[in-house]
Amino acid sequence: MQFFATGKDSLVAAALEASMRSVRLCGVTTNAFDLEEHQHWCAETVKEPVVLNVSAPEARGTYLQKHTTYLVTLESRQEGVRRRFRDFEWLRVVLHARYVGLLVPSLPEKTTTAAVLKTDAFMQSRMRGLQRFLNDILESPYLRSDAAVASFLGEPGDEATWEAMRKDTAVMDNAGEGHMRWLQRLLCEHIASSPENEISVFKRHVEQRERLLSELAACAKRLADKSAAMSKDVSTLHAIFAGWQLAETGTGSFEARNDGPLVALLDKSTVTISGWSQVESYQPAIYELLLLENIKYMLRQATAMKQMLIERERAVAGESLPESECKPTPSLSESPASPPTSGFSVASFTSAASTAASRFMSAVEPPSLSIEEQRRRAHHTSELITRALIAEEMQRFRVRTTKELENIMNHLSCAEAQLSKRSGSVWREYLKTSSADPQVLARSTKELLGSASSGSTPPSPAAAEAF
């Protein structure tokens, strides 16, 4: 079975045409739209949380065409539907093409490396990413009721039945109440003046955020890798101590060898190192699950937002073809049965060169389309994205970024605090049985750390300040 029955490019093109028909289907004006009622509808739609689980990976297919399916279930149920990764890809492509200007949740990274695909760690990470993708969709009042989402979650039939459902719901003029509400919200957004400056500033912020998140992701990856190596080394240290303990106790009696104090110290030390090893074994998962995966998701969302802004710029360039090359086309918000919603046009605020417009057309439109049709499509795309950015998406992106970062820091702080508590208890338990004076020990340890900082390669200039 092919990824898309008619090919991805054909599906996107058909979805664009359907989106243009959907605008005419809405047939609303600014006077008929009640923003307060709309916001109430949004809140009520997502009031009842719906949580989905992605689990139970299962290999299917022949040896040469083997693939993995995942069980998608409601949190409170056992039965569900099985979907493969490209089904999730299909859903995202459909939603992205249908909801022009809306930042659709991101999918986890895709890999075709067989060695990576077979690892349990990769499979678990992918399932967490797919689960987050679906649950973020259900948090959107617009996407939750979409026909494609409903068919994805509700059609447990065989492969042929599911393929038929995909064909039926991929391209629709009206994909549900959320779809119509989204378009109404955009068409009724009043834009009094040029938004170009505001969007330009926003784009610079998105690009900066993407760069910083990329650096954070690389750093988090190094932390996860180093903590995994640290955990392995501490485990090896424990094994060596245990071996030493066994060697000392297995070569004669304490009295005969006069090694009783050493054996007692090894007993206590081995128990302490064992506790340390257990604590360190949790650290890689903390960095991987709470830090790296969440930062990578934020990075993918920032990249997706940047791509949407680039798509808008290309559409604006395509919309600005010289008037001599094409006939005037009606405004996006015009329809045969209704007046314009606001009269705003992105084209009136841009002076993109015709050469850039030509490059845009040749890159994204079939050569068989007339210049007029290309310009009409570009106008539709640019205006919807512009309206979406001004109406909701710029603010939602900012709020979402803050919420995501706060969520990361809250969980990371909680995990590290608990880990520090467990680690501290391991070392304090050892010190309780030590014959050394606590104050003298603290002072001498501080002096050792202080003297180390004066060397050529200090481990940490402020290490002694811990005391």
Side-chain angles (χ1 to χ4, degrees), residues 11-295:
L11 187 150
V12 172
L16 180 60
E17 283 295 325
S19 177
M20 297 169 75
R21 293 192 299 269
S22 300
V23 168
R24 295 191 292 271
L25 183 63
C26 279
V28 297
T29 66
T30 52
N31 295 328
F33 183 77
D34 186 340
L35 181 58
E36 185 176 344
E37 184 277 332
H38 175 79
Q39 292 173 340
H40 176 74
W41 173 85
C42 289
E44 287 296 314
T45 301
V46 296
K47 183 177 180 180
E48 294 296 330
V50 178
V51 180
L52 296 173
N53 291 328
V54 177
S55 60
E58 181 180 292
R60 293 186 176 182
T62 63
Y63 177 77
L64 295 178
Q65 294 183 326
K66 187 171 291 187
H67 62 272
T68 302
T69 64
Y70 306 91
L71 182 64
V72 180
T73 60
L74 284 171
E75 192 175 44
S76 57
R77 298 182 183 178
Q78 296 295 327
E79 66 277 3
V81 295
R82 284 208 162 267
R83 298 288 181 254
R84 56 188 300 183
F85 187 80
R86 68 183 185 186
D87 293 329
F88 289 85
E89 288 184 299
W90 168 86
L91 180 60
R92 191 181 190 282
V93 168
V94 168
L95 295 178
H96 177 74
R98 180 174 292 157
Y99 295 84
V100 180
L102 189 147
L103 184 61
V104 178
S106 299
L107 284 168
E109 295 172 324
K110 184 176 183 179
T111 181
T112 56
T113 306
V116 175
L117 286 169
K118 292 179 180 179
T119 63
D120 181 66
F122 172 81
M123 195 65 68
Q124 294 297 324
S125 178
R126 168 171 280 190
M127 287 191 294
R128 287 191 297 269
L130 296 176
Q131 183 170 301
R132 179 170 190 168
F133 167 72
L134 292 178
N135 285 317
D136 281 358
I137 284 177
L138 295 183
E139 288 182 3
S140 167
Y142 306 114
L143 303 180
R144 176 184 280 209
S145 59
D146 187 87
V149 175
S151 65
F152 181 92
L153 298 176
E155 179 47 63
D158 57 22
E159 198 76 4
T161 305
W162 166 229
E163 183 177 0
M165 287 293 295
R166 293 200 310 180
K167 290 180 180 179
D168 292 340
T169 58
V171 179
M172 303 179 72
D173 295 357
N174 183 347
E177 184 178 7
H179 184 207
M180 293 294 101
R181 287 269 188 174
W182 169 250
L183 291 175
Q184 291 170 9
R185 175 69 182 93
L186 301 191
L187 296 177
C188 295
E189 177 67 17
H190 178 68
I191 303 177
S193 59
S194 171
E196 295 303 314
N197 183 60
E198 182 181 359
I199 293 177
S200 178
V201 171
F202 175 69
K203 184 185 177 185
R204 289 198 296 272
H205 289 167
V206 171
E207 290 172 339
Q208 180 187 54
R209 194 166 297 169
E210 182 192 34
R211 176 179 58 80
L212 293 172
L213 286 170
S214 179
E215 294 175 3
L216 281 174
C219 183
K221 180 66 167 63
R222 291 194 298 270
L223 280 172
D225 291 343
K226 289 179 179 179
S227 66
M230 175 72 171
S231 175
K232 183 178 180 181
D233 286 342
V234 174
S235 178
T236 302
L237 186 68
H238 170 245
I240 295 172
F241 263 90
W244 188 3
Q245 177 195 30
L246 182 63
E248 291 292 337
T249 57
T251 55
S253 66
F254 295 172
E255 295 78 14
R257 300 185 64 239
N258 197 29
D259 285 343
L262 175 61
V263 171
L265 180 60
L266 284 172
D267 287 343
K268 186 172 66 171
S269 299
T270 302
V271 170
T272 301
I273 300 300
S274 175
W276 182 25
S277 178
Q278 290 178 9
V279 170
E280 288 296 328
S281 68
Y282 298 119
Q283 192 69 70
I286 291 176
Y287 289 145
E288 182 76 28
L289 303 183
L290 302 184
L291 192 61
L292 179 58
E293 286 192 3
N294 287 315
I295 289 176

Side-chain angles (χ1 to χ4, degrees), residues 294-346:
N294 287 315
I295 289 176
K296 287 169 70 175
Y297 183 81
M298 291 179 67
L299 174 59
R300 288 193 292 271
Q301 285 282 275
T303 301
M305 176 58 78
K306 186 183 76 170
Q307 291 301 321
M308 185 165 69
L309 291 166
I310 292 174
E311 181 184 0
R312 174 187 174 274
E313 290 177 350
R314 290 173 176 170
V316 168
E319 186 185 3
S320 304
L321 285 170
E323 291 294 332
S324 59
E325 295 187 27
C326 61
K327 299 178 182 179
T329 55
S331 172
L332 167 69
S333 53
E334 291 180 353
S335 67
S338 63
T341 58
S342 71
F344 167 74
S345 172
V346 174

